[in-house]
Each structure stands twice: as C-alpha cells, then as structure tokens.
Amino acid sequence: MTAVLSTGWDSVRQRATLSTHAAGAAAPVERLTALGRAELLGRLRWEVIQGGSLFLSYPQLLDGAAFAVLRPAALLDELAIRTIDGGAMLPVRVNSQGADLAGQLIAMLSSGFLFSSLPIPDEQCLGLQRELAARADGEAAAAALAAEGPVVMADRLLAATGVLDPPLRRRTVARWGDWLEAAERGLLEVSPLVPADFETAYAVRPPPRPEDVAGDQGRAVLAAWTGGDFDVRGRPNRSRLYESLAPLLRSADPAARADAQTLRESFDETYYRAIAAGEGCLLGLAAPRRGVRRREAAVQAERTPVVTYPTWFELRLGLMSGEQWRRFTDDAADALANWWQRHDLAALQEVGDLLGGRTKEPPAGGVDAVPVTRIQRVVRAARGITAQMAAGGGLSLAADMFGEGAPAALAGGAPAPVVVAAVAAGLPRLTDYRGRYDVMELPEALTRRV
C-alpha cells in the first residue's frame, strides 16, 4: 500500500474560510452540518480506498480546516479498516521534524508560520503571522516545551499575539491537543520529515510562463518565485509566496486577482507534488484546471480505461455509519488488496460495484457537484524527464469522452505519459460533467507493477 497525499484538503480550507468571510463573521468552522460532515468523511474514505491510507503534510493536519472539525477518536470508529492493523489505527500518516508532532506544532508557532485555515479574514491570518514572527524564539520555545507541555505552550504563544478571540483560540488549541494525544497514543503514524523534491516537481509541471500571466504585478511575483526570492534554506517557501500575492487578491482589477489565483494554484500543485515525490506517495490533485486538462487529453497516445463508480460515490461513503463502513471494507477486502498491491483496475471496479449495490443515491440537496477522479501514472519520457499530463487519454478517448473537436495542438512537443484509469461518477461523457474532478498520479516506482 502507498498513501495518498491529496491537495483536496487545501480546497476544503479555502471553502471553509471563504464561507465565513462571505458572512463577515469569525464563526468557528467546526459547526458542521450533518451533510458537511458526511462530505468530509466521504472524502477521507475515498482517499483510503485509493491508496490504503492518507498521507498528510504537517501543515495539512495542524493548519487544516477539515482536521480542525474532525476528532480523531470519532474517526477511529468511522475510518479505520479491520484488515489494516486490525482497525486499531487510523489509516493516516503525517510527517513532522524528527517524527515529533508536538515539537513541530511549537516550531510553527515560534517561527512565524502562516496559519491560513483559521475562520478569520486573510488580513487577520497575515496579522497573526507577523505577530508570531515578531516573537519568534525557537531556542526558548524548545527549552520551554518540556516544562509547559505543547497544549499549554501553544495557548500561551497564541494568546501573546492578541490576534484571536479567546473562544476561537481555545477551540483551536483544544483540537490540536486532540491530534497530539492521538499521535502519542499511536492512533496515527508520525514519520520523520523528508525533504521535498522540487526538482522532480518542476520537471513534471514547470511554473507558468510570463506570457501566462496578464499583469506586471503577477509577472513580478512569478519572477520572484522562479528566481529564488521566496526560498528558505534552498526551497520555495509557500508563506512568502502567499504574502506577496495578498495585494493582488485584494486588487480591484479582475486580471490581477486572476493572476494571483493562477500563481497560487500552480505553486500549490508544485509544492504538494514535491512533497509527494520526496515521501514516495501517490498524489491526488483536487479541483484541477478543468479546461486545460481537457485540452491536454487530446494529445495522449493510448485509450484510457474507465472505471465507473455510482453517482455521488463520495457522499454515499460518507453517509455510511461506522458499522456499515466496517462491513463494506470487510466484504471488499480482497478487491482492495488487489488494487493497493497490484493496481488491478478490475478490483477497483469491484469495489465500486459493491458500493453501488450497498447504497442508494443520496438526496442532492445542498450538493452541486459530482466528484470524478482520474488516476494516472507518471512515466519517463525518452529524454529521461519525468513527465505527466493531468487529464490524459488517447485520441479515441478525446472523441469518446470529451467530445469531438478536442484540440491536438499540444501533441508536437508533449511528453508521453500513460493514464492508468479514470473513475467517473456515473457519467458516460465528461462533457456532461460540470463539477470537480481529481487527478491521482502514481509514482514511477509503482508503474512498473501496473
């Protein structure tokens, strides 16, 4: 089994913060509706099905809106699979410096980390970062950690900034405490931090070109990114890039805001691909740029096999009770093992068929997108450069699934990755689809077995 690192939790963060910002309030994101919780749980369960476990970078866990609303003790009953470690652990792995999650949290708080998932406006998040940076003292924090304990210390460091309202600060610290306790009890795996592999990430998908950015401000940020101005210890720093994009995001010029979004999405994709390459994980790209990826589908050289899952399959998974999930994964155990170990597409289809037979289509109230997941492998091109196309498929697939007339202009210079599978939620043609779809990349080491 190989864990999946998904960028989908960034989109959860953005949806959560945007919803509170739009209301002009700092209401806690943890007040989830039953539907909202089912959507989050279904997403987690689907990612476990994809890779056997979910890999999280430490910011995704400790600065993740999803994990600020999900308690690990409840998740153990709702997410664990009995065929994996007897169901005694969450199928979750998180990295941290020295495999010390508590120390990693205190390091974030004592080094000016940008906590961007808090249910407060972006300006307040940046203000918190500035206040934490002004008080940064890593040596003193490390010395005080053993005496105070991580929860008490985290509360003290946040309180000293005066940025967060006390109720929000206490809720945030309490949930950190839940996850730190889960790690201490061995309910999830904590692994040593591995350096992100940006060389591979840039080879797979280079940064945007200057001509892809409309305005001078956007091009200046792009030049700073590619020129190393945002680097910390030789690697691009996401907080620095985000801070540089903040004025563009607030701009009255739609083109500047579009440039900021383009650069942020591109950097996030690079950032997570670099982590996945370093950690040896599958990479799940949530909500990719649909138009670009549809065009790229026309240049592929092989037809893409399609594995069809029932409509609203993530929500079906999320609406299962803990006992229903256990029975489902018990009955699908052989098929899941065949998919995780050999990437047998027939086994993945068997899991989808079982899901369709066990569940009914849920009411669509409040849900406006059918998730579609595309699974592909990354291969070596003839020139030895790791390359991938984000929504691949053969020319016949372009006609079958994407409609006639898909442009093939990219074919001349495009490398030739091979798409392993696509998972479509009950849709015969992706042109009928108007919501989110995902991409999961299989590392080259795994593709030799496919």
Side-chain angles (χ1 to χ4, degrees), residues 38-398:
E39 287 178 314
L40 287 181
L41 182 58
R43 179 74 182 174
L44 282 167
R45 285 171 168 172
W46 169 234
E47 287 173 3
V48 170
I49 287 172
Q50 288 180 74
S53 63
L54 173 64
F55 174 81
L56 298 169
S57 65
Y58 67 83
Q60 284 181 313
L61 179 66
L62 299 174
D63 182 36
F67 301 100
V69 299
L70 298 173
R71 290 178 170 82
L75 276 182
L76 185 64
D77 180 61
E78 297 171 319
L79 190 63
I81 296 180
R82 281 189 283 223
T83 56
I84 302 176
D85 296 321
M89 284 183 64
L90 286 166
V92 174
R93 175 166 70 92
V94 60
N95 65 0
S96 68
Q97 191 68 45
D100 178 8
L101 195 60
Q104 185 68 68
L105 173 62
I106 298 305
M108 294 163 73
L109 288 165
S110 58
S111 61
F113 182 85
L114 174 60
F115 288 94
S116 56
S117 72
L118 293 167
I120 55 178
D122 287 342
E123 275 302 312
Q124 201 172 347
C125 287
L126 291 169
L128 176 62
Q129 180 194 30
R130 287 190 292 268
E131 292 295 329
L132 289 171
R135 294 165 173 77
D137 189 339
E139 288 188 12
L145 178 58
E148 293 187 61
V151 175
V152 171
M153 189 170 180
D155 188 66
R156 177 174 64 80
L157 292 173
L158 278 184
T161 68
V163 173
L164 301 183
D165 292 336
L168 174 58
R169 188 191 79 235
R170 288 192 290 267
R171 284 192 295 269
T172 301
V173 171
R175 195 50 44 84
W176 283 337
D178 290 341
W179 285 101
L180 295 183
E181 181 184 2
E184 188 175 349
R185 292 172 54 199
L187 298 184
L188 68 154
E189 180 185 357
V190 183
S191 63
L193 187 67
V194 175
D197 184 355
F198 278 93
E199 182 178 353
T200 294
Y202 284 134
V204 170
R205 182 172 290 278
R209 301 165 299 176
E211 54 266 35
D212 297 328
V213 182
D216 290 341
Q217 286 181 289
R219 281 190 287 271
V221 174
L222 175 61
W225 166 15
T226 57
D229 293 357
F230 300 140
D231 287 7
V232 174
R233 293 187 290 276
R235 293 185 179 85
N237 182 273
R238 189 159 66 151
S239 294
R240 290 188 175 187
L241 178 95
Y242 277 14
E243 190 166 8
S244 74
L245 291 175
L248 279 74
L249 289 168
R250 296 193 304 269
S251 172
D253 181 3
R257 295 197 301 272
D259 283 348
Q261 192 65 26
T262 295
L263 291 170
R264 184 165 177 160
E265 288 178 357
S266 180
F267 186 87
D268 281 347
E269 187 172 319
T270 299
Y271 172 78
Y272 283 115
R273 184 176 283 112
I275 293 172
E279 296 282 354
C281 293
L282 310 182
L283 176 63
L285 300 175
R289 297 175 298 280
R290 188 165 59 250
V292 172
R293 298 184 191 282
R294 286 186 179 184
R295 288 194 297 273
E296 289 173 347
V299 307
Q300 302 306 312
E302 296 185 12
R303 183 183 177 91
T304 303
V306 176
V307 181
T308 304
Y309 267 46
T311 53
W312 308 109
F313 64 91
E314 282 187 11
L315 189 53
R316 290 177 190 239
L317 289 167
L319 290 171
M320 287 180 175
S321 67
E323 182 54 37
Q324 288 170 330
W325 167 251
R326 285 189 290 274
R327 288 199 302 268
F328 171 72
T329 53
D330 283 350
D331 292 345
D334 290 343
L336 287 169
N338 286 336
W339 167 244
W340 293 334
Q341 295 166 14
R342 296 194 291 273
H343 288 98
D344 179 351
L345 294 177
L348 187 61
Q349 181 65 71
E350 185 179 339
V351 176
D353 292 343
L354 181 62
L355 177 63
R358 290 286 178 86
T359 59
K360 296 180 180 179
E361 182 169 321
V367 182
D368 59 2
V370 178
V372 176
T373 297
R374 302 184 58 73
I375 300 174
Q376 69 185 63
R377 61 181 176 181
V378 179
V379 298
R380 294 276 172 179
R383 294 185 298 277
I385 301 172
T386 301
Q388 59 89 25
M389 283 294 176
L395 292 174
S396 58
L397 173 71

